């Protein structure tokens, strides 16, 4: 197949054009070709190719892509257009796209010029220009053309100028005049183009015409832009006036090689299609472009920056620079901008004597030397914005890729790319590649999937685990998975050579000040999946506003994640690191006090929520603390319980194993029962009430034991009725039997406390259970005992329903 964007957008197969369709279809194809072999997100097409008021914009794009896929994939040896990862990708040989052939020929031509082969350079650049059939991206929607056509046209014009310069150097003056005369009419204020035409005319013996071209250009610049001609064009004019011997000679001799400092690209680079698409589309001829890649330690920021830089290198022939700013490097201080500027200035050819002695002068010299050039700079491992700003070029056509563990929000006009951990599919792909496609790993995909999850899908952890497997011939994926399952040893296992997940996290932690270090460590005590500001404030004993600021700073440092406003979580390995640090740093009494504050907060707030949401069912166990916060109504109380339930269950389970804190488990069990029963959360309720039964039994808390046994039996009863509704008789009998067991134990516990108020309800439940199990004698016995208890308690009004049950047997 042959795809064309340098002119009307077309697709050809076997020398015949394919029926692409109207402007929207051609625009879709153009976007895919400009991002060939990369995933273009569905949202891009929705934004640029559908009307703003369309309700079914996504559906319209999918239908449009379906039609385009049919045209492109029919009769193709392999699918060309596919839907992948929330977008679409066009899989083609780069040589099948005229734009990629153009870029290859241009890069080869400039390399030939640099090597002192002007004739070969002319041949290659001429081939590149011959691929153009008119204005780029003809026939597509304005939104797509505006985004890319100007960039492509600028690239073409630079090649036109380079080719004219080479032809003049080779003595082909008349040809240059013939070619540039038409081009200058279309862009009469492009000064380099005008200067080359003037040189061509002058070398052809037409000095008067050359000077007339200068005069005409000067009038246009002054009248339309209010500018005088630049110094380069004036020097051409002066040279023509002074005589041919003073005219500047266009360069065609070997130049000093442009700096090419990029580290080697990773052969096992995996994933990041969406992020890579952003970086590869970021270059602009109209302005300097800065892309800041941020993310937690080990997430692959440098790998992405280097990979993207290698892909972009052909577009930046004046140099590719790489500076490690050592913002988070063990044993080294961050590189000062003053020293970093010394490095980049030497890299572009300056000597020590030419480099100024002050930061401002160095920054100004750097900006001046790269002005008008196309230079790509990778600033890796930045600590903060002030380290980066002096290194940013000012002129158009340059690209800067910055990586940092912090979000560099203080850099203006920056495209931010935040990296998260891999998807499971990409994590498995990376592990398989990094183990050299180990046959054992390929044979055990289930175990490989487990390993990448134990690595929490963090690229650094996956690479380290793969390296350990690759360099230990006796190991298998089963053995590696077994070693990683031990969460107390996991971070220790994730170290190979000079790479260590723990060391990477240690550096991020070391860059925090003491309040933020303390917040980070104490978060390691929290057992739940996430935490809100109020709970974090209680845990750390700081004001709520201060806790919010500390958490946001940890988010900026990529040590904490914020998936939704007001709620914060930690990556699994980061949580393990925080838990290790808090044990190493904070003595047991301090850790215990922090946990007690957290539990107090949860019990107090759960009590407040339960009182509002279930006022008729609230049962207090012991001295429940006063409510920690008011709730406006039932909806807000239930919303809090729903959001916090995983945390409440986790802290209850944690407290159950800590001597002296088990009362919190008993309290949370009693407080959460109405919500759990109402919502049918039987599994969670059974686990929680079971923990409370054991905790109350261990401490001799008979009141708490009675309540926990009652709640546990009640949840088995709820579950039995659920199984009845689903016609599962074996499960029904099992649940009823368990309910009878626990409610019977609760009945015995009430006698130990002397509080007989709960007896009638327990006996009534037991009567229903025995009847459901077919044991009518035991049912009669339970209900008769219930009547006796009601009489003893002087509650005759509650006996009517029980008498009705007895009569029905």
């Amino acid at each position: 197949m042959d795809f064309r964007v340098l002119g009307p957008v077309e697709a050809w197969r076997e020398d015949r054009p394919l029926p692409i369709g109207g402007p929207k279809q051609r625009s879709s194809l153009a976007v895919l070709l400009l991002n060939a072999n990369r995933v273009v997100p569905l949202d891009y097409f929705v934004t640029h190719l559908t009307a703003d008021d369309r309700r079914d914009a996504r559906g319209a794009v999918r239908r449009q892509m379906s039609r385009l896929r049919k045209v492109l994939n029919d009769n193709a040896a392999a699918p060309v257009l596919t839907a992948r990862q929330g977008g679409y990708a066009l899989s083609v040989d780069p040589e099948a796209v005229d734009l990629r052939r153009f870029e290859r020929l241009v890069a080869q031509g400039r390399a030939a010029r640099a090597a002192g082969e002007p004739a070969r350079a002319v041949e290659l650049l001429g081939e590149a220009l011959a691929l153009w059939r008119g204005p780029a991206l003809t026939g597509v929607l304005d939104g797509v053309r505006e985004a890319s056509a100007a960039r492509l046209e600028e690239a073409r014009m630079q090649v036109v100028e380079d080719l004219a310069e080479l032809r003049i150097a080779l003595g082909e003056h008349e040809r240059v005049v013939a070619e540039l005369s038409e081009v200058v009419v279309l862009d009469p204020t492009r000064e380099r183009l005008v200067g080359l035409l003037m040189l061509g005319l002058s070398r052809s013996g037409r000095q008067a015409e050359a000077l007339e071209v200068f005069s005409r250009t000067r009038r246009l610049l002054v009248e339309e832009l209010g500018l005088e001609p630049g110094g380069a064009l004036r020097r051409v004019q002066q040279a023509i006036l002074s005589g041919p011997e003073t005219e500047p000679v266009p360069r065609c001799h070997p130049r000093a090689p442009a700096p090419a400092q990029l580290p080697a690209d990773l052969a096992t680079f995996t994933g990041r299609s969406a992020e890579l698409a952003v970086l590869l589309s970021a270059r602009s001829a109209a302005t300097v472009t800065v892309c800041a890649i941020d993310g937690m330690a080990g997430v692959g920021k440098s790998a992405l920056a280097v990979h993207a830089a290698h892909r972009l290198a052909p577009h930046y022939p004046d140099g590719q620079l790489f500076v490690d700013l050592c913002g988070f490097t063990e044993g080294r201080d961050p590189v000062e901008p003053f020293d970093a500027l010394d490095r980049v200035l030497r890299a572009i050819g300056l000597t020590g004597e030419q480099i100024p002695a002050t930061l401002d002068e160095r920054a100004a010299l750097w900006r001046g030397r790269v002005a008008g050039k196309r230079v790509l700079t990778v600033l890796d491992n930045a600590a903060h914005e002030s380290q980066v700003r002096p290194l940013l070029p000012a002129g158009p056509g340059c690209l800067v890729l910055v990586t940092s563990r912090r979000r560099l929000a203080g850099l203006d006009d920056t495209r931010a790319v935040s990296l998260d951990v891999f998807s499971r599919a990409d994590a498995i792909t990376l592990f398989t590649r990094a183990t050299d496609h180990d046959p054992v790993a390929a044979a055990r995909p289930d175990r490989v999937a487990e390993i990448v999850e134990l690595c929490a899908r963090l690229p650094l952890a996956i690479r380290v685990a793969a390296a350990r497997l690759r360099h230990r011939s006796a190991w298998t994926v089963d053995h590696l998975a077994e070693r990683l399952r031990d969460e107390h040893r996991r971070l220790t296992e994730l170290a190979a050579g000079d790479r260590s997940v723990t060391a990477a996290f240690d550096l991020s932690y070391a860059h925090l000040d003491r309040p933020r270090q303390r917040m980070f460590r104490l978060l390691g005590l929290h057992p739940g999946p996430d935490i809100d500001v109020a709970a974090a404030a209680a845990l750390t004993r700081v004001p709520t506003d201060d806790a919010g600021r500390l958490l946001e700073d940890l988010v900026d440092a990529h040590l904490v994640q914020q998936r939704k406003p007001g709620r914060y979580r930690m990556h699994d390995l980061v949580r393990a690191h925080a838990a290790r640090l808090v044990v190493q740093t904070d003595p047991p009494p301090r850790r215990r006090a922090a946990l007690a504050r957290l539990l107090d907060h949860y019990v107090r707030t759960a009590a407040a929520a339960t009182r509002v949401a279930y006022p008729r069912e609230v049962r207090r166990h012991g001295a429940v603390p006063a409510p920690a916060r008011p709730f406006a109504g039932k909806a807000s109380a239930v919303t809090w319980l729903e959001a916090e339930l995983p945390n409440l269950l986790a802290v209850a389970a944690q407290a159950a194993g800590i001597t002296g804190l088990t009362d919190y488990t008993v309290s949370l069990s009693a407080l959460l029962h109405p919500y759990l029963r109402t919502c049918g959360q039987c599994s969670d309720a059974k686990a929680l009430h079971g923990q409370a039964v054991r905790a109350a039994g261990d401490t001799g808390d008979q009141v708490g034991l009675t309540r926990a046994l009652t709640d546990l039996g009640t949840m088995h009863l709820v579950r039995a009725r659920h199984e009845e509704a689903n016609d599962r008789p074996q499960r029904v009998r099992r649940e009823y039997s368990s309910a009878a067991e626990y409610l019977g134990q609760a009945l015995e516990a009430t006698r130990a406390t002397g509080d007989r108020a709960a007896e009638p309800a327990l006996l009534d439940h037991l009567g229903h259970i025995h009847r459901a199990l077919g044991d009518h004698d035991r049912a009669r016995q339970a209900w008769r005992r219930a009547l006796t208890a009601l009489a003893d308690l002087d509650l005759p009004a509650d006996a009517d329903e029980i008498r009705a049950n007895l009569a029905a047997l």
Side-chain angles (χ1 to χ4, degrees):
M1 296 187 70
D2 184 33
F3 296 95
R4 305 173 183 178
V5 296
L6 303 180
V9 175
E10 299 172 348
W12 291 64
R13 180 182 284 122
E14 297 177 353
D15 298 326
R16 289 189 299 177
L18 296 179
I20 298 303
K24 288 187 178 180
Q25 298 285 100
R26 288 184 190 279
S27 300
S28 298
L29 177 60
V31 170
L32 291 163
L33 288 171
L34 293 171
N35 298 276
N37 300 308
R38 301 194 295 267
V39 175
V40 181
L42 173 64
D43 287 343
Y44 182 92
F45 294 102
V46 171
T47 301
H48 291 83
L49 301 182
T50 59
D52 293 339
D53 58 351
R54 290 203 62 157
R55 294 184 179 179
D56 188 26
R58 287 174 172 267
V61 170
R62 291 190 178 99
R63 290 189 291 273
Q64 186 173 296
M65 287 299 177
S66 179
R67 292 191 292 269
L68 185 58
R69 187 161 45 196
K70 180 174 176 56
V71 172
L72 296 177
N73 291 354
D74 278 0
N75 301 318
V80 178
L81 176 57
T82 55
R84 290 201 320 229
Q85 300 174 357
Y88 296 89
L90 194 69
S91 302
V92 295
D93 179 352
E95 285 296 302
V97 183
D98 60 356
L99 173 58
R100 303 306 169 213
R101 296 198 298 275
F102 171 77
E103 291 173 338
R104 173 182 57 79
L105 289 166
V106 170
Q108 292 173 339
R110 286 172 174 156
R113 180 182 65 181
E117 301 175 15
R120 175 62 176 158
V122 166
E123 179 185 353
L124 290 165
L125 296 180
E127 287 182 38
L129 289 174
L131 294 171
W132 285 72
R133 298 165 292 110
L137 302 174
T138 301
V140 304
L141 297 176
D142 289 344
V144 175
R145 287 201 79 250
E146 291 169 359
S148 301
R151 171 176 59 83
L152 297 178
E153 179 60 22
E154 174 62 23
R156 185 184 76 86
M157 290 302 298
Q158 289 178 358
V159 174
V160 167
E161 292 167 343
D162 289 349
L163 182 58
E165 190 175 71
L166 286 163
R167 290 194 189 283
I168 290 174
L170 292 173
E172 300 177 12
H173 311 130
E174 294 289 351
R175 185 166 181 175
V176 168
V177 171
E179 292 176 349
L180 295 193
S181 294
E182 296 181 3
V183 181
V184 166
V185 171
L186 300 175
D187 198 351
T189 59
R190 191 178 179 95
E191 295 191 30
R192 185 186 177 205
L193 192 68
V194 171
L196 290 167
L197 174 59
M198 290 170 61
L199 282 175
L201 288 166
S202 178
R203 299 287 174 85
S204 302
R206 301 158 67 179
Q207 286 84 1
E209 293 179 56
L211 294 173
E212 175 56 30
V213 168
F214 175 83
S215 299
R216 185 170 60 246
T217 301
R218 180 180 179 278
R219 283 196 301 273
L220 282 171
L221 288 169
V222 172
E223 291 172 3
E224 295 187 8
L225 302 177
L227 298 173
E228 287 289 341
L233 191 58
R234 285 193 171 279
R235 284 192 291 274
V236 173
Q237 179 213 23
Q238 291 300 319
I240 293 171
L241 291 171
S242 301
E245 65 279 359
T246 63
E247 290 178 4
V249 178
R251 65 180 184 227
C252 66
H253 51 79
R255 291 187 298 172
Q261 298 181 338
L262 296 179
D265 197 4
L266 287 174
T268 55
F269 183 85
T270 300
R272 305 301 188 197
S273 300
E275 295 87 351
L276 193 58
V278 172
L279 297 178
L280 296 181
S281 64
R283 56 193 179 89
S284 170
T287 183
V288 61
T289 303
V290 182
C291 295
I293 306 168
D294 61 74
M296 65 183 292
V299 81
K301 302 178 293 295
S302 298
L304 174 62
V306 170
H307 183 73
H310 277 282
R311 294 275 297 271
L312 290 163
H315 303 287
Y316 296 92
D318 296 313
Q320 305 95 44
L321 304 175
F322 182 91
V323 183
D324 183 355
L325 295 175
C326 300
F328 300 85
T329 301
E330 186 176 8
R332 296 186 62 181
D333 293 329
V335 175
E336 293 294 333
F338 181 84
D339 298 319
L341 283 166
D342 182 80
R343 297 180 192 179
V344 296
L345 290 170
R346 289 177 187 273
I348 61 174
L350 275 69
T351 63
E353 293 78 12
Q354 296 174 296
I355 298 175
T358 68
L359 174 63
D360 289 345
E361 289 175 327
R362 289 185 176 191
L365 180 60
W366 161 244
R367 292 192 295 268
R369 286 303 178 106
V370 296
K373 296 183 178 180
R374 285 165 289 166
V375 174
L376 186 158
T377 307
V378 178
L379 302 177
D380 189 42
N381 197 11
H384 41 71
E385 294 91 338
S386 61
Q387 191 184 24
V388 172
R389 285 194 191 94
L391 296 163
L392 299 180
C398 290
L399 174 65
V400 182
L401 303 181
V402 189
T403 74
S404 179
R405 296 187 190 182
R406 295 189 59 83
R407 289 179 177 165
L408 303 179
L411 292 180
D412 296 329
D413 299 327
T414 300
R415 299 192 185 190
V417 176
S418 292
L419 296 190
D420 202 347
V421 296
F422 272 152
S423 66
R424 174 178 285 197
D426 283 343
I428 290 172
T429 299
L430 175 60
F431 182 83
T432 306
R433 289 177 178 174
T435 52
D436 293 331
H437 301 276
D438 182 82
V440 178
R444 294 299 308 273
D446 57 333
R447 195 63 70 236
V448 172
E450 180 187 5
I451 288 171
V452 300
E453 291 300 333
L454 290 170
C455 293
R457 292 187 262 133
L458 182 69
L460 173 61
I462 294 169
R463 287 188 180 279
V464 170
R468 298 199 72 189
L469 180 64
R470 188 173 65 246
H471 291 293
R472 286 167 173 79
S473 58
W475 283 22
T476 65
V477 287
D478 293 296
H479 179 68
L480 177 60
E482 182 180 356
R483 297 177 72 95
L484 291 174
R485 285 188 196 111
D486 185 348
E487 56 186 49
H488 298 294
R489 291 177 48 196
R490 190 173 303 154
L491 286 174
T492 303
E493 292 292 334
L494 292 174
D498 61 351
R499 291 192 300 179
S500 163
V501 173
T502 298
F505 292 161
D506 278 338
L507 287 169
S508 294
Y509 174 76
H511 279 72
L512 303 175
D513 60 14
R514 291 184 64 182
R516 284 151 188 82
Q517 286 183 343
R518 179 174 178 270
M519 171 66 81
F520 176 74
R521 291 196 313 273
L522 292 181
L523 288 176
L525 296 173
H526 190 279
D530 63 5
I531 191 170
D532 67 3
V533 176
L539 177 68
T540 55
R541 198 169 57 188
V542 299
T544 303
D545 289 345
D546 291 346
R549 283 190 289 272
L550 293 174
L551 286 168
E552 288 295 332
D553 288 345
L554 292 179
V555 169
D556 287 340
H558 285 285
L559 288 169
V560 167
Q561 299 167 332
Q562 188 178 30
R563 296 301 173 88
K564 59 177 66 174
R567 303 202 70 84
Y568 303 85
R569 65 184 297 273
M570 280 181 161
H571 181 273
D572 289 348
L573 295 179
V574 175
R575 181 195 299 277
H577 185 249
R580 172 188 283 190
L581 282 174
V582 75
V583 170
Q584 293 173 347
T585 308
D586 299 89
R590 193 180 300 166
R591 300 200 302 271
R592 183 189 180 86
L595 281 174
R597 292 193 300 270
L598 179 68
L599 287 161
D600 275 338
H601 163 77
Y602 278 133
V603 168
R604 287 153 55 94
T605 314
T610 305
R611 287 190 179 108
V612 172
Y614 308 100
R616 296 182 181 179
E617 301 186 47
V618 170
R619 292 162 297 181
R620 298 176 183 172
H621 167 69
V624 175
R629 57 178 283 189
F631 287 93
K634 181 174 181 178
S636 62
V638 171
T639 297
W640 184 88
L641 287 167
E642 181 180 6
E644 294 292 351
L645 182 63
N647 293 317
L648 296 168
L649 295 173
V651 296
Q654 182 184 45
I658 301 175
T659 302
L661 297 182
T662 55
D663 284 351
Y664 289 108
T665 304
V666 179
S667 294
L668 286 170
S669 171
L671 288 167
L672 294 177
H673 178 72
Y675 173 78
L676 293 169
R677 188 187 67 189
T678 303
C679 297
Q681 302 269 30
C682 293
S683 297
D684 289 335
K686 285 193 255 186
L688 173 61
H689 298 328
Q691 292 160 1
V693 166
R694 291 186 291 275
D698 290 343
T699 60
D701 178 4
Q702 291 299 313
V703 174
L705 179 62
T706 301
R707 175 54 57 205
L709 284 167
T710 301
D711 291 342
L712 184 56
T714 301
M715 292 312 299
H716 278 282
L717 187 56
V718 170
R719 188 67 185 179
R721 290 167 180 164
H722 173 77
E723 300 297 356
E724 277 181 334
N726 288 281
D727 194 22
R728 296 167 178 163
Q730 290 183 342
R731 295 184 183 180
V732 169
R733 190 166 189 84
R734 184 169 64 245
E735 293 293 342
Y736 271 131
S737 296
S738 296
E741 177 186 353
Y742 291 121
L743 292 174
Q745 292 177 20
L747 189 61
E748 293 299 321
T750 60
R751 291 171 182 163
T753 64
D755 178 12
R756 299 187 62 198
E759 279 188 34
L762 289 169
L763 289 164
D764 185 29
H765 282 319
L766 287 168
H768 285 289
I769 292 169
H770 292 316
R771 183 178 64 181
L773 292 171
D775 192 340
H776 289 190
D777 289 339
R778 294 185 70 182
R780 286 190 190 93
Q781 183 182 9
W783 277 326
R784 285 170 180 163
R785 289 174 61 192
L787 288 174
T788 301
L790 286 170
D792 292 344
L793 293 168
D794 195 21
L795 297 170
D798 295 337
D800 292 343
E801 184 177 347
I802 294 176
R803 291 193 186 97
N805 291 333
L806 281 167
L809 281 178

